Amino acid sequence: MPGKKVCIVGSGNWGSAIAKIIGHNVKKSNRFEPIVNMWVYEEMIEGKKLSEIINTEHENVKYLPGHKLPKNVVAVPDIIEASTGADILVFVLPHQFIGKLCDQMKSKVKPGAIGISLIKGVDEGPDGLKLISDIIRQKMEIEVSVLMGANIANEVAAENFCETTIGCKNPQHGAIFKELLQTPNFRIAVVADSDTVELCGALKNIVAVGAGFCDGLGFGDNTKAAVIRLGLMEMVAFAKVFCKGTVSSTTFLESCGVADLITTCYGGRNRKVAEAFVKSQKSIEELEKEMLNGQKLQGPQTSAEVHRILKQRNMSDKFPLFTAVYQICFEGRPVKDFITCLQNHPEHM
């Protein structure tokens, strides 16, 4: 049997960290082709193309500096060229770009190809919630699993020990993805509750923005613990309302749930930018440009999508933490009101 061809769709901070793992793992297994294409959004870095820098220096100098990528990971700036013939598509890019890319790729998708999404975000659909994996599934007509966890990209690239969760409804695909992605320091649990796994990955970024507000306002760890707990309660409640299948409470105890929530509320870009938002009086857009070196912020945008979904069902008042984050980011609500939302949360009534 010929090996399965892998294409990584995306090459930012997280995409490059995952490329490092995949590049090493495919060489150890006869299940996969040894050359991995990585689609790169072409940029000029000091007069040179980013794709050329990656292919000659084997380092993503913009998004993951200081970490060498395996030489069998090949940067390809054309999405059709990168993805044609791929058996496994690994989607890892900001969620606002996924629809357009799928439209470009779908005519060339290989029959029987499968996908895995590492994208943290949600969209609005006719029934309220539309998951990013749903967008890929519908546009590409392939089966899609998800990977979410407490995985800060630079720590994964540095091979610090961490866990992650794959949500996969097909056990055979789960085994393939585990072989492709697991290492001694990147431990994977595979669960069937794929929609909840994915939702955790998106919603925790909203909670992290709230945690950043608390840091900016000068509140301590007790307050942040309350934000994490109340945020988790809203995550569970949201999943129970909007997920089509059965929501397993144990999924929230996996890495994709409480672990990712904690690490994002103490580290991560959403917390950092939200703290700066309070202290600097600058807009979220300005801070994203200043602080993130071209990376995209997911928390505020996810709060806007969640707000539209809740408004459609007339349920905003049942999710005061999510709603407050949205209103502070986009409607000019004073950030000090965030504490009022905690004090008057339905959990305390």
Side-chain angles (χ1 to χ4, degrees):
M1 287 284 285
K4 292 183 183 298
K5 187 175 169 66
V6 180
C7 170
I8 302 167
V9 183
S11 57
N13 185 234
W14 187 210
S16 298
I18 279 295
K20 188 177 172 189
I21 289 176
I22 290 174
H24 287 305
N25 279 359
V26 296
K27 288 189 287 189
K28 294 179 197 162
S29 166
N30 58 9
R31 196 198 281 258
F32 307 106
E33 260 190 40
I35 299 297
V36 175
N37 283 355
M38 177 172 74
W39 173 72
V40 173
Y41 176 76
E42 193 69 281
E43 299 175 65
M44 299 303 290
I45 311 289
E46 295 177 358
K48 286 180 76 178
K49 290 178 177 176
L50 180 57
S51 62
E52 288 175 6
I53 296 170
I54 292 170
N55 288 335
T56 53
E57 296 174 27
H58 306 290
E59 183 180 342
N60 188 332
V61 293
K62 179 164 185 183
Y63 295 110
L64 195 69
H67 294 281
K68 288 294 179 189
L69 297 177
K71 290 179 180 173
N72 59 322
V73 173
V74 178
V76 183
D78 181 283
I79 187 60
I80 303 296
E81 185 188 335
S83 61
T84 298
D87 299 286
I88 299 171
L89 293 157
V90 180
F91 295 92
V92 52
L93 67 163
H95 78 278
Q96 51 268 49
F97 304 129
I98 190 64
K100 186 179 161 196
L101 271 173
C102 285
D103 285 339
Q104 290 174 259
M105 294 160 65
K106 64 186 176 188
S107 64
K108 301 289 183 185
V109 70
K110 186 174 179 178
I114 59 174
I116 187 164
S117 170
L118 282 63
I119 299 169
K120 294 178 174 176
V122 292
D123 210 343
E124 189 188 8
D127 303 323
L129 178 70
K130 192 169 196 179
L131 297 168
I132 302 304
S133 64
D134 288 336
I135 296 172
I136 300 169
R137 216 171 269 122
Q138 286 162 14
K139 285 183 178 288
M140 303 281 290
E141 296 179 3
I142 61 173
E143 278 195 51
V144 184
S145 302
V146 297
L147 181 148
M148 307 280 152
N151 309 139
I152 289 172
N154 291 48
E155 295 182 18
V156 173
E159 297 178 30
N160 296 351
F161 178 84
C162 69
E163 303 174 313
T164 200
T165 313
I166 288 179
C168 185
K169 290 167 186 169
N170 182 321
Q172 289 168 305
H173 294 174
I176 292 168
F177 290 129
K178 193 165 181 172
E179 187 176 338
L180 180 66
L181 292 156
Q182 182 162 267
T183 75
N185 283 328
F186 191 64
R187 306 309 291 178
I188 293 171
V190 180
V191 301
D193 188 7
S194 175
D195 291 356
T196 308
V197 171
E198 185 170 3
L199 210 45
C200 283
L203 297 178
K204 57 94 194 186
N205 282 331
I206 305 177
V207 185
V209 173
F213 291 160
C214 286
D215 290 340
L217 291 163
F219 293 98
D221 286 339
N222 292 345
T223 310
K224 196 185 282 192
V227 170
I228 290 169
R229 190 188 76 81
L230 294 168
L232 181 60
M233 299 304 288
E234 291 195 14
M235 286 166 63
V236 173
F238 190 93
K240 286 183 172 168
V241 171
F242 291 100
C243 280
K244 294 181 191 82
T246 307
V247 172
S248 168
S249 298
T250 57
T251 304
F252 292 93
L253 299 177
E254 296 288 349
S255 182
C256 61
V258 70
D260 197 9
L261 182 60
I262 292 166
T263 196
T264 313
C265 287
Y266 279 92
R269 64 189 86 154
N270 290 282
R271 189 219 61 80
K272 184 169 76 171
V273 173
E275 180 181 13
F277 175 78
V278 179
K279 291 178 171 175
S280 71
Q281 309 296 305
K282 292 178 180 174
S283 73
I284 293 284
E285 289 80 5
E286 284 176 275
L287 291 166
E288 183 182 65
K289 285 193 184 81
E290 275 177 32
M291 297 174 69
L292 296 186
N293 187 34
Q295 292 177 38
K296 292 294 177 190
L297 201 62
Q298 298 299 321
Q301 189 177 340
T302 303
S303 80
E305 277 140 6
V306 163
H307 182 70
R308 284 199 298 274
I309 291 163
L310 291 172
K311 217 170 158 189
Q312 200 180 326
R313 292 267 191 107
N314 207 15
M315 294 179 78
S316 303
D317 57 334
K318 291 187 167 59
F319 295 86
L321 190 149
F322 289 173
T323 301
V325 168
Y326 164 75
Q327 290 171 336
I328 291 163
C329 287
F330 296 105
E331 292 188 345
R333 184 175 176 181
V335 74
K336 65 181 186 301
D337 273 10
F338 190 66
I339 297 304
T340 316
C341 121
L342 302 180
Q343 291 165 336
N344 300 327
H345 199 280
E347 276 282 302
H348 299 141
M349 296 303 172

